Amino acid sequence: MLKKMSALFLSLLLAFSVLSVSPAYAASKGSEGTPTSGVRSADPNHAVGQYNTVNGGGMSPNATGLIATIGLDLYRGSGNTLILDGTTNGTQVLNKIGFQDISLQRWQNGQWTNVKVWSTYKNDSSSYSYEYSTTVTPGYDYRFVATHYGELDWLFIPSIETHYNETSYLHVG
């Protein structure tokens, strides 16, 4: 009798622990669960930079320093393709202008995880427009994060200005 009661108690304990842990475990797995940081795009095919200063096709001033305006957008292409479209505009011709630490991020296991990180610059220009296309694994939420970068050398002493930007996120099904 004691063995049967112990077995029944352990069975109930195991069933209760599985039921109480399963939702939390499921929410933390891969593509399951909603990101707890960032902003979901209202448009399923286009996500805008949260700190863009390019509004409605017009430019608005960003700063009085080296960088005038910034823009970062994420588009869904065909299939599982994502397209990054970014612009950094300087207030003048800069020695170096572009993007530092561009990150393609995927929401996985309860956090944003870098899928790929890189930088790209243009020398001696007042602006840099950049487009990047990649195929991603379906079933996840994705966003791009980047730092807009401008550098001007004053007698071999660089003056540097950076601005963080991140797109809202899109789900790739």
Side-chain angles (χ1 to χ4, degrees):
M1 177 78 166
L2 184 59
K3 283 184 180 181
K4 285 184 180 180
M5 288 187 66
S6 295
L8 179 62
F9 175 75
L10 289 175
S11 296
L12 288 173
L13 183 63
L14 180 62
F16 177 75
S17 66
V18 167
L19 290 174
S20 65
V21 172
S22 292
Y25 176 73
S28 71
K29 285 184 63 180
S31 61
E32 298 173 16
T34 302
T36 56
S37 65
V39 176
R40 184 186 245 340
S41 177
D43 182 338
N45 296 308
H46 177 220
V48 296
Q50 300 302 294
Y51 306 106
N52 284 358
T53 57
V54 180
N55 298 315
M59 302 289 211
S60 61
N62 184 47
T64 58
L66 302 177
I67 297 176
T69 57
I70 61 174
L72 194 66
D73 290 281
L74 167 61
Y75 296 93
R76 291 234 12 222
S78 62
N80 300 326
T81 301
L82 293 178
I83 301 163
L84 165 70
D85 184 20
T87 303
T88 304
N89 290 310
T91 56
Q92 60 188 301
V93 173
L94 301 176
N95 296 103
K96 193 182 220 183
I97 189 166
F99 301 90
Q100 184 179 54
D101 299 329
I102 300 170
S103 302
L104 169 60
Q105 295 184 332
R106 171 174 58 210
W107 184 258
Q108 186 173 2
N109 298 322
Q111 64 185 2
W112 288 108
T113 303
N114 291 337
V115 176
K116 181 176 181 177
V117 179
W118 71 101
S119 297
T120 182
Y121 305 97
K122 186 175 185 181
N123 293 320
D124 302 320
S125 182
S126 62
S127 67
Y128 185 37
S129 293
Y130 179 71
E131 187 174 294
Y132 173 79
S133 177
T134 187
T135 302
V136 297
T137 305
Y140 293 93
D141 293 300
Y142 289 90
R143 71 179 183 180
F144 277 105
V145 173
T147 301
H148 298 268
Y149 183 91
E151 180 180 320
L152 185 62
D153 292 333
W154 298 94
L155 300 173
F156 306 107
I157 300 172
S159 178
I160 296 172
E161 184 176 344
T162 61
H163 292 279
Y164 174 82
N165 204 348
E166 69 184 47
T167 65
S168 46
Y169 59 87
L170 296 177
H171 184 77
V172 177

